């Protein structure tokens, strides 16, 4: 999400424009086996500088390990009103 915002595909404030041509697609799912040359995602950017910044942030956000991580629960908790 925040990487797409830095590409211009989201807003930091209500007056910000949104560039619908930018974003991230074809992301490998968590736990997908990958090789050294397997693409993890496709970054769509308006210019090379934006692509470089987004790609660097994406690289910093992911980790590659020899084993898939334990699955995370779909629901972490439930919020209930006060009775």
């Amino acid at each position: 999400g925040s990487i797409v915002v830095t590409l211009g595909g989201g807003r930091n404030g209500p007056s910000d424009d949104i560039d619908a041509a930018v974003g991230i697609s074809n992301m490998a799912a968590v736990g997908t086996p990958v090789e050294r040359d397997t693409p993890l995602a496709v970054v769509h950017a308006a210019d090379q500088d934006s692509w470089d910044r987004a790609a660097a942030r994406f690289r910093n956000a992911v980790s590659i390990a020899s084993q898939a991580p334990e699955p995370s629960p779909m629901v972490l908790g439930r919020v209930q009103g006060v009775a």
Side-chain angles (χ1 to χ4, degrees), residues 49-67:
D49 287 339
S50 296
W51 188 93
D52 290 339
R53 286 192 304 274
R57 288 191 63 197
F58 186 85
R59 280 188 215 103
N60 288 331
V62 299
S63 61
I64 298 175
S66 59
Q67 295 182 343

Side-chain angles (χ1 to χ4, degrees), residues 18-44:
I18 295 177
D19 184 350
V22 302
I24 299 174
S25 66
N26 301 17
M27 288 180 38
V30 172
T32 299
V34 297
E35 299 293 329
R36 182 171 188 78
D37 59 346
T38 303
L40 301 179
V42 176
V43 176
H44 306 274

Side-chain angles (χ1 to χ4, degrees), residues 6 25 76:
T6 63
S25 66
L76 297 177

